[in-house]
Each structure stands twice: as C-alpha cells, then as structure tokens.
Amino acid sequence: MALRAGLKCFMGSGLIWRRPGFRTLCVTSRRDAANSARSHEDRKTQDLSSFAIRSHTCGELCLAHVGQEVTLCGWLQYRRHDKFLVLRDFHGLTQIILPPDENMPTGAIEIQAKQVHILNPCKKLPFEIKESVKKSESLRMQYRYLDIRSAHLQYNLRLRSTMVMKMREYLCNQHGFVDVETPTLFKRTPGGAKEFVVPTQEHGKFYSLPQSPQQFKQLLMVGGMDRYFQVARCYRDEGSRPDRQPEFTQVDIEMSFVDQLGIQRLVEGLLRYSWPEEKGSLPDPFPVMTYAEAMSSYGVDKPDTRFQMKITDVTSQMKTVQLQFVQEALGKAHGCAKAIRVTEGAKYLTGKALDVMLDMIWDQYKQEVIAVVVRPDGSWKSLLRNYLSEDQQKDLAGATGAKAEDLLLLAAGQHDTACAALGKLRLEVASHLEECGVSLREPNAFHFLWVVDFPLFLPKEDKAEELESAHHPFTAPHPEDLELLHTDPAKVRSQHYDLVLNGSEVGGGSIRIHNSQLQRWILGDILKEDVGLLSHLLEALDLGAPPHGGIALGLDRLIATIVGAASIRDVIAFPKSFRGHDLMSNAPDFVSAEELQPYHIQVTPNK
C-alpha cells in the first residue's frame, strides 16, 4: 500500500521483522520553516528528494535529524500491533511509531507520525520482497516490476547507472568524444550473428536490426567525427543460448588516427575512472596475453587467471607410452600431449564425480583424458602406471609439479582439441573444488586481461576448406602478415583485441580496414561474400577514410561480473528469458493474418 506521512524524528527503538504487508505510504505534516531547511551536510552529494513530495528518503535519517519534521514516502514493509510501521523505499528502511504517549529510550531513531495517507492499496503480492525468500526466476521475471524492488536489483541497476554516467564524463569531458545515436533500422549485411528482420509495406523488402553499430561508426570516422561513442542497443537472433539476450547494450567507441595500444590505454583509463570505489583499484596497465598463449596454457581465448592449474606440455614425457590412442595422436600433424595438475585434487575428485566430468569431455570433444591419482605415499593410481617405468613417472611428475594427493589429468590428441578439452575440464574442476569448500577464485578479485593476435580467419564449421571471419570482416590484418593474405590466409593474424575479466569476455575491438581495395579482396576473394551488400561502406572507404579503430564493451556482462551476478539478467531492468521471451508481457506474441497483410506476409502452419 502506498502511504504518505508527516513525521517528527526522535530517539527510538529497534525493529522486529515479521511478514510484510505492502502498501505505498506517504507520511506528511506541516513543517516548521527552520526545521525543514536541510543543511548541505544533510543532502550530502546528491539531493534524492528534489522535485518530490518527500523531504528525505527512508534510508537517510540519523541522529542529526532528531527534532526535525520530515516527510517520507514509500511502501509499507511491515506493521506491528497497529502501532509500528516500517516504511521502505529504494534507499532503505525507517520505523515509524503511531504515535505513543512518550518517546522510547532505546535505539537510534524512530519517526512519530502526525498524519498517514494511503495513496494506493494493493492486493496480496505473489512473493515477498525479501532477499531471504527464494523465488523462481520465471516468477521473478513475470513480476519484474516487483522484483526490481529487491535490494540486490536496486543496487545493480543504480551501480550500472553510476558507471555509465562516469564513462560519459570520462569520454566527453576529458577526451573530447561525441555521443552519436546511430540507426536501429538497417539492412542485412554479411558476417556475424543472425539478425532480426523487420517487415515493411514494400513488397519483399525488410529492414534488419543491427547486431552492432559497426558500419555506422566507421562511416562517422570517414565523416571526420574523429572520436565517437554511444551507449548502444544491439540485437542478435541467437535463439536459446545460455546467459545471452536478444537485445543487449554496448559501450561503443571508435577513434581516428589511433593504433591498438591507444585503444587499450583509453579503455583502461575509462574503467579506472568509472570503477566503483568499494571494488578496489585496477592495475595500470592491464596484462596482455597472445591468443596462442591463452589457448596453449588455458584452453580458451578468455582465460580466468584468478587461479593457476595451467595446461602443461608433456609431449616428450609421453612419447614412449605404449598406449594405442597416445601413439596415434602423437603420430599425426599437430599431435601433442598436455596435462593439468590439480593441487590436492585426489582429496576431492575421485570416483563418480570425476567419471562424470571425463564423460562430459568425451561427449563434447571426443577427447580421451587419463586421470592419475597421486596417493599420500607418492605412488600412482592410474592406467598409466602399467605403461610407464618408475623413472618415466618421475619425469612426468617433475614436468607437471605433481606431488602427494595431487590429481593429474592428461590428454593426447590434436593440439587445439586437447587444449580446449583440458581448458573446459579446468573450469569444471575449479567449480567442483569450490563446491567442496576449497578457496580457489577470490570472489572480490578482478583480473583484467587483454588477449591479442587472434587469427583473422577460421575454417567454417560445416565446410572446413572455406574460411570465415574470426570476428567480423572489417578487422585489419596484422601488418607483419599482409603477404600471407594471398598465399596462406588461414595463418594471418588480426589486429583484434579482446578484454577479458575473470574468464568472461567483456569487450572486443580491432583496428579496421580503411583501404577499400583490401576490404574488397577480403570480402570477395577470401570470404566469398556478396560485395554489393556493402557498397555504401566500400564507396566511403574510397573517399579518404582515415586509419581508425575501436572497441565495444559489453555493458551487461561487465556489470554482472562486477556485482557477482549469476546471470546478466540480474543487471538488466527488463530482460528476456533463456528462450528470448518476455514473461511479463508474453512477447513475442501472435499477429493476426489481417494485421500481417499490409506487410505481404503469410504465416504457414508448422509441419
């Protein structure tokens, strides 16, 4: 129920929690001019009650306000004996007494009401607004406007707002960037994720929702804008993918006459300037790792460097192992043997738990992984024990650093597959150890990392003999690899860079191709794309395009990592479900045949 109340602040008791009944309240009264004039200290740095009918928030009052008359507005969180009310808003809780004969001597402060007005009653809520009350995510999303009242969502959304404001200040006020809005209705273009299409009343013609402002920000550089940014809405029709959203937000940045290092230093400064003080400080500069090193040592291009357990090459130690699959793997091109050491893993990872993980790796990668349990006396429990001499076991233990009660996980196979399998296993093992109470990844640690020198092209999944862009077709090749474009394009490195935070990619960018001939060659001759679809961009590159580059920070992922949210849905006010549905409004919804007729669209029945 919504309430408004007139109050006088005085010393009072603490409060006892019981089941809340929710009503919106405003407590009001006439106020003495001297008492109602709030000092600069009361307002602190922000006036959260300006232009509103309240004088203070429910989390603002303290002993300094004793004797003042104040006005509070909020929701009724709790009522006891028709004598005590607990009023709640986005800022906190305040207890109100209705009114006693005398002040209570204990506690910090209470509010004595003069008038209470019910602004809006409400029926029984589908769930209590308490952090301790467990709610299913589907119920929370169905009643998202109620879920937003929760303390953690209030914190997440307000921290997001504060960081975005500081980013704007840093870019605009300190470095001369211009905030430009780019179109949402565009055309289908090659490369990247699937795009949403929007029908028009022109027969057979559709708009596409852009998956990023990529082409527009490059065109702004051609237009001499020089330094652009935008808090941009982006769209990708990716279906049911874990922790993804069909619409999401990027902090999109582009600069002219810049190199890779310049973009990286800009972003590091941007994050240090906007970083929440309570989250500690950030390094200067951020560490850098090549793509090749990331894949070889961690098995992923977004390594979580908060813990060790790195992948070690043990090819030389495994060459003499007379296991058929090992010898077959090492006999092929790019064959290798890799291992990870799990410190004291033998205490926590044995039996069924380990078998489930190894089966999962086989199902996903078709990669055999051998486990070696090092017993407390240093002896091995493993299939490998039958194929290695004691000296060979010592060599392998020395190469990996394995000690008593450790667990070794070894894979022999094609380099990329073996590393990727162990990289996945590394993360699964870390999660299992933490479930067992092992302190592995500090929850309040933030490890940023630049990953650079990505391949420019990758083989297509369905046609390995053909190439596709590793990121997007506008990424410039590494200057040292330009000659390989015509002889061996699969080996060309790109001027792409990813920003990784605690094992999540929170940003990605590149130096762009600003030469139209090079862009045409890559699109038409290497990627076999329809060059005509990008004629507008190619023509612009012909008209004096400056060298330029940029980056897009994934705002949702960045904020989710900072606040420790389990999903990016916990930092978005109105997110979509796992399947891309709005459970609150039931979108997407059906459209009648009559409404579709002007768009020349007819829905056919499911087969």
Side-chain angles (χ1 to χ4, degrees):
M1 180 179 291
L3 292 186
R4 177 175 177 234
L7 315 163
K8 188 167 184 178
C9 204
F10 68 102
M11 302 287 288
S13 68
L15 55 91
I16 300 173
W17 285 95
R18 295 176 189 255
R19 178 171 178 162
F22 292 91
R23 296 181 292 179
T24 313
L25 309 178
C26 183
V27 190
T28 67
S29 71
R30 292 176 299 174
R31 293 181 291 167
D32 179 90
N35 287 337
S36 64
R38 286 173 291 156
S39 66
H40 176 73
E41 288 74 20
D42 291 339
R43 295 171 183 261
K44 298 181 181 179
T45 57
Q46 292 179 318
D47 190 347
L48 300 176
S49 298
S50 54
F51 315 113
I53 58 175
R54 64 173 180 250
S55 67
H56 294 76
T57 67
C58 293
E60 186 177 356
L61 299 176
C62 63
L63 292 177
H65 298 91
V66 171
Q68 294 185 21
E69 293 188 3
V70 298
T71 302
L72 301 184
C73 297
W75 286 265
L76 179 61
Q77 175 80 0
Y78 162 76
R79 181 176 66 187
R80 176 164 57 95
H81 304 314
D82 290 324
K83 185 176 181 181
F84 296 100
L85 305 178
V86 174
L87 201 64
R88 174 182 56 82
D89 64 9
F90 69 93
H91 204 62
L93 300 164
T94 297
Q95 180 162 293
I96 299 167
I97 188 168
L98 296 175
D101 295 332
E102 59 183 30
N103 292 348
M104 297 179 69
T106 59
I109 64 106
E110 276 182 343
I111 302 297
Q112 180 174 340
K114 290 188 174 180
Q115 299 178 39
V116 175
H117 301 280
I118 297 176
L119 298 179
N120 194 8
C122 78
K123 61 182 182 181
K124 181 180 174 64
L125 298 182
F127 53 81
E128 295 183 53
I129 313 299
K130 278 185 177 181
E131 300 297 319
S132 59
V133 175
K134 300 297 182 183
K135 290 94 58 181
S136 68
E137 187 175 59
S138 60
L139 185 64
R140 291 174 54 206
M141 294 184 66
Q142 183 181 354
Y143 296 97
R144 188 63 167 186
Y145 44 85
L146 295 180
D147 194 35
I148 288 175
R149 295 180 185 175
S150 67
H152 80 277
L153 268 183
Q154 286 279 324
Y155 173 79
N156 293 351
L157 295 177
R158 291 178 186 279
L159 181 140
R160 176 179 178 138
S161 173
T162 300
M163 285 195 67
V164 169
M165 180 57 69
K166 288 183 177 180
M167 288 179 176
R168 291 183 185 276
E169 291 173 356
Y170 182 84
L171 292 170
C172 291
N173 298 346
Q174 296 195 18
H175 294 284
F177 280 78
V178 182
D179 186 352
V180 181
E181 295 179 354
T182 55
T184 299
L185 297 175
F186 194 36
K187 62 179 288 186
R188 186 185 70 82
T189 55
K194 291 183 179 179
E195 299 169 335
F196 287 99
V197 295
V198 180
T200 73
Q201 295 188 30
E202 293 187 60
H203 189 271
K205 291 189 175 182
F206 297 83
Y207 290 112
S208 284
L209 300 182
Q211 50 188 292
S212 80
Q214 180 62 47
Q215 294 180 53
F216 290 109
K217 64 183 181 181
Q218 290 192 244
L219 294 172
L220 286 170
M221 297 303 104
V222 179
M225 190 55 68
D226 193 72
R227 294 187 170 200
Y228 142 94
F229 90 98
Q230 179 184 187
V231 181
R233 207 69 170 156
C234 305
Y235 307 89
R236 292 180 186 173
D237 189 7
E238 295 183 315
S240 303
R241 297 187 63 180
D243 208 24
R244 294 287 183 94
Q245 288 284 291
E247 50 182 342
F248 56 96
T249 306
Q250 291 180 347
V251 179
D252 206 49
I253 297 171
E254 197 80 5
M255 297 175 66
S256 294
F257 309 108
V258 71
D259 59 12
Q260 179 171 317
L261 184 60
I263 295 290
Q264 292 172 358
R265 293 297 172 264
L266 169 77
V267 171
E268 292 174 14
L270 173 70
L271 288 170
R272 276 191 291 272
Y273 185 85
S274 60
W275 195 253
E277 290 184 8
E278 67 272 19
K279 299 298 181 179
S281 60
L282 298 181
D284 184 11
F286 292 179
V288 179
M289 182 182 297
T290 66
Y291 169 83
E293 182 185 353
M295 295 302 297
S296 180
S297 298
Y298 296 92
V300 292
D301 58 5
K302 47 186 178 182
D304 188 342
T305 56
R306 288 175 295 173
F307 66 105
Q308 289 297 312
M309 213 185 297
K310 293 170 67 173
I311 299 172
T312 304
D313 188 270
V314 291
T315 303
S316 61
Q317 287 80 15
M318 295 287 285
K319 278 183 178 178
T320 57
V321 176
Q322 296 305 308
L323 274 172
Q324 183 176 353
F325 86 93
V326 173
Q327 291 303 311
E328 288 179 356
L330 298 185
K332 295 179 181 178
H334 308 295
C336 67
K338 300 283 185 175
I340 58 176
R341 168 201 174 200
V342 184
T343 304
E344 297 187 343
K347 295 181 180 179
Y348 306 99
L349 263 172
T350 54
K352 185 176 181 181
L354 181 58
D355 291 341
V356 168
M357 288 186 191
L358 300 186
D359 289 344
M360 179 268 293
I361 294 299
W362 173 257
D363 291 340
Q364 188 168 345
Y365 298 94
K366 297 297 182 283
Q367 174 65 60
E368 188 78 41
V369 177
I370 303 173
V372 176
V373 175
V374 185
R375 297 187 178 101
D377 62 1
S379 63
W380 284 15
K381 178 185 176 183
S382 173
L383 170 69
L384 270 183
R385 187 180 181 184
N386 300 324
Y387 297 90
L388 290 176
S389 67
E390 188 172 332
D391 287 341
Q392 289 173 320
Q393 291 181 33
K394 288 181 180 179
D395 287 344
L396 187 57
T400 58
K403 298 178 181 178
E405 298 191 313
D406 285 352
L407 176 69
L408 282 182
L409 299 169
L410 299 104
Q414 199 273 338
H415 180 273
D416 292 348
T417 303
C419 289
L422 287 179
K424 175 69 172 179
L425 193 54
R426 174 180 181 265
L427 297 176
E428 292 292 324
V429 166
S431 297
H432 181 81
L433 292 178
E434 289 175 335
E435 291 174 1
C436 295
V438 178
S439 179
L440 202 61
R441 292 174 286 195
E442 171 58 45
N444 296 319
F446 297 97
H447 285 217
F448 279 100
L449 174 72
W450 288 108
V451 179
V452 301
D453 290 350
F454 283 83
L456 187 60
F457 308 110
L458 293 174
K460 288 184 177 180
E461 289 188 9
D462 53 343
K463 295 181 180 179
E465 69 279 5
E466 296 183 11
L467 296 175
E468 62 183 0
S469 294
H471 291 94
H472 59 64
F474 316 114
T475 302
H478 197 289
E480 297 177 2
D481 296 347
L482 283 174
E483 292 185 2
L484 291 173
L485 275 176
H486 301 275
T487 59
D488 197 351
K491 292 183 179 179
V492 176
R493 293 169 297 165
S494 71
Q495 294 189 67
H496 180 93
Y497 33 86
D498 273 355
L499 182 61
V500 177
L501 173 58
N502 292 359
S504 292
E505 179 193 332
V506 296
S510 67
I511 301 302
R512 322 301 186 189
I513 299 171
H514 67 278
N515 180 281
S516 63
Q517 290 183 331
L518 177 59
Q519 185 67 83
R520 283 188 176 91
W521 170 264
I522 287 178
L523 284 169
D525 292 72
I526 296 180
L527 299 178
K528 312 299 182 185
E529 297 283 4
D530 182 357
V531 177
L533 291 173
L534 290 166
S535 59
H536 57 283
L537 178 62
L538 293 170
E539 184 176 1
L541 297 181
D542 266 330
L543 299 176
H548 59 282
I551 193 168
L553 299 178
L555 185 62
D556 309 308
R557 181 82 56 200
L558 174 64
I559 302 298
T561 306
I562 291 172
V563 301
S567 165
I568 61 172
R569 291 186 286 273
D570 283 337
V571 300
I572 301 172
F574 297 99
K576 301 295 189 292
S577 72
F578 167 74
R579 298 187 179 278
H581 293 174
D582 181 351
L583 302 183
M584 183 179 63
S585 66
N586 292 320
D589 205 352
F590 294 100
V591 177
S592 69
E594 292 76 17
E595 291 172 302
L596 288 175
Q597 188 174 3
Y599 303 104
H600 314 283
I601 294 176
Q602 183 177 4
V603 179
T604 58
N606 284 328
K607 294 182 180 180

